[in-house]
Amino acid sequence: MKCRICRAKANVYLRYANAAFCKEHFIKFFERRVRRAIERFEMIEKGDKVVVAVSGGKDSLALLYVLNELSKTMDFEILAVTIDLGIGEYSKLSVEIAKKNYERLGVDYRIIELGDYGFTMDEVAKYRISGRICGICGTAKRYILNKVAKEEGASKLATGHNLDDFLQVILQGYLYGNLGDLARYYPVSPSLPGLVARIKPLVTTPEKDSLIYTIAKGIEYVVMECPYSLRASSQDLKNAIFYLEERRPGTRFSMFNTYVKMIHPLIREAYFKGGVLKKCKECGEPTNADVCLFCRVKSSVLAKKGA
Ligand code: SF4
Ligand code: ZN
Ligand code: ZN
């Protein structure tokens, strides 16, 4: 097969686009698609300071490399942030790999220790704090990233959610009727008092393409899986979507476009509860409850530690 652009020998074939690319033109195609998603959903404006959440996995590193590239022509600034979640060897390796990439690119970065905020994820597991461990971890990551973004005067917070992640969440919302959550689920979440605007620049990027991009760019990423990862249900949904994609290439893009253009506006109109948040009585961060979930988890861990 030949590259669609330069007719040299192709290295990558994308079935959904019925197109083949050499390495160099795949990288260009990948970066252009991210740029188009940023423009389509008005994710970044000139002069923005964008915090890029980097876990060390392939998606977040692909995001970092693309945003670093685009920042040069689109006139915005990036700051990479990695949270050491305190998950034994997994966290050590993730931080080490993130740092190597920061140094390779020469980007500004911060490494934040969850332990400095009161607990580690290993403690959450050890003391069997109630709630799904990945749910608690997600809350901790959102809390810290938002706090750090505010401290750094950032106007946007970018995460590496890809097309498959996005579709999995909306399918989960349909199946379990979490329409209140879907009313807020979109490629961009506007900024609210105390909350920095969140953006998903890889939202039109299939997961496998991120992997190909990291390989094509020679990016080192964490292959080790988190010991607490229980992917069963989310992976089942992704597999179901992928089954449809295999039979009808392009299904994922069609699902995505139908959701953002037709379904989301209806769900939002019917189920959006408004964006007004209270301030947590303990830490002052935005929350729907009197005390935010982060502070409640922290108190539980401290109580069990002291017991
Ligand atoms: Fe956190 Fe769960 Fe991801 Fe592990 S698998 S890093 S616990 S969200
Ligand atoms: Zn080419
Ligand atoms: Zn709080």
Side-chain angles (χ1 to χ4, degrees):
M1 249 182 281
K2 291 189 173 155
C3 169
R4 177 156 103 174
I5 313 291
C6 68
R7 314 303 299 159
K9 187 175 171 292
N11 304 96
V12 182
Y13 172 67
L14 303 177
R15 191 156 173 260
Y16 60 80
N18 189 23
F21 295 98
C22 67
K23 187 166 122 177
E24 183 200 334
H25 286 116
F26 172 76
I27 290 173
K28 289 211 168 104
F29 165 82
F30 184 97
E31 293 176 349
R32 208 177 310 120
R33 181 170 53 198
V34 177
R35 184 183 180 124
R36 279 204 303 266
I38 290 173
E39 289 169 348
R40 174 175 172 189
F41 295 103
E42 298 175 351
M43 294 184 189
I44 300 178
E45 290 159 63
K46 266 190 180 173
D48 264 339
K49 179 167 181 177
V50 182
V51 159
V52 188
V54 177
S55 64
K58 64 179 181 358
D59 294 301
S60 63
L61 283 166
L63 175 69
L64 175 72
Y65 276 71
V66 184
L67 290 186
N68 183 47
E69 220 31 69
L70 297 180
S71 68
K72 297 171 191 164
T73 51
M74 293 177 77
D75 196 16
F76 62 89
E77 214 186 305
I78 60 169
L79 171 72
V81 174
T82 295
I83 305 171
D84 181 336
L85 296 163
I87 306 179
E89 279 307 303
Y90 171 75
S91 288
K92 272 193 202 132
L93 187 66
S94 305
V95 169
E96 193 184 303
I97 288 181
K99 265 190 182 166
K100 269 194 199 169
N101 282 288
Y102 298 155
E103 274 146 30
R104 175 177 165 191
L105 288 176
V107 295
D108 291 338
Y109 69 91
R110 276 187 67 184
I111 307 285
I112 310 287
E113 307 262 342
L114 177 58
D116 290 346
Y117 286 76
F119 62 90
T120 66
M121 288 311 298
D122 277 343
E123 287 171 337
V124 168
K126 180 175 165 194
Y127 297 120
R128 298 174 188 276
I129 302 303
S130 71
R132 275 188 324 109
I133 189 156
C134 291
I136 294 175
C137 185
T139 299
K141 288 189 269 199
R142 280 192 296 277
Y143 179 91
I144 289 177
L145 287 168
N146 187 59
K147 232 171 172 307
V148 173
K150 284 193 289 183
E151 280 165 26
E152 295 288 344
S155 41
K156 301 285 160 61
L157 173 52
T159 55
H161 295 94
N162 58 44
L163 177 63
D164 300 64
D165 296 328
F166 190 84
L167 296 178
Q168 177 247 308
V169 171
I170 62 174
L171 189 54
Q172 192 160 324
Y174 297 163
L175 291 179
Y176 301 109
N178 306 331
L179 300 185
D181 292 342
L182 286 191
R184 283 179 274 115
Y185 202 66
Y186 200 67
V188 283
S189 321
S191 84
L192 292 171
L195 278 182
V196 175
R198 306 173 71 89
I199 58 173
K200 300 178 181 68
L202 299 188
V203 73
T204 52
T205 299
E207 190 163 308
K208 199 169 155 208
D209 291 18
S210 289
L211 176 65
I212 301 171
Y213 181 78
T214 49
I215 295 168
K217 298 273 286 184
I219 301 169
E220 188 182 354
Y221 65 93
V222 183
V223 181
M224 181 181 174
E225 194 153 346
C226 169
Y228 304 127
S229 139
L230 283 172
R231 295 199 155 176
S233 73
S234 61
Q235 196 54 50
D236 282 351
L237 294 181
K238 280 191 182 175
N239 291 346
I241 295 165
F242 202 72
Y243 173 80
L244 295 174
E245 175 71 34
E246 286 283 290
R247 309 204 108 203
R248 295 182 187 79
T251 295
R252 284 174 299 180
F253 289 107
S254 152
M255 275 179 80
F256 175 79
N257 285 320
T258 305
Y259 177 79
V260 297
K261 283 188 199 154
M262 300 160 84
I263 299 177
H264 183 263
L266 296 176
I267 295 179
R268 191 178 156 85
E269 200 180 317
Y271 294 93
F272 186 65
K273 296 260 171 27
V276 184
L277 295 167
K278 301 187 218 173
K279 276 190 175 182
C280 168
K281 280 185 179 156
E282 296 193 3
C283 69
E285 289 297 303
T287 174
N288 288 319
D290 289 337
V291 175
C292 76
L293 188 52
F294 186 89
C295 286
R296 281 182 274 152
V297 170
K298 182 167 145 183
S299 307
S300 306
V301 175
L302 293 180
K304 296 218 174 169
K305 255 171 131 174

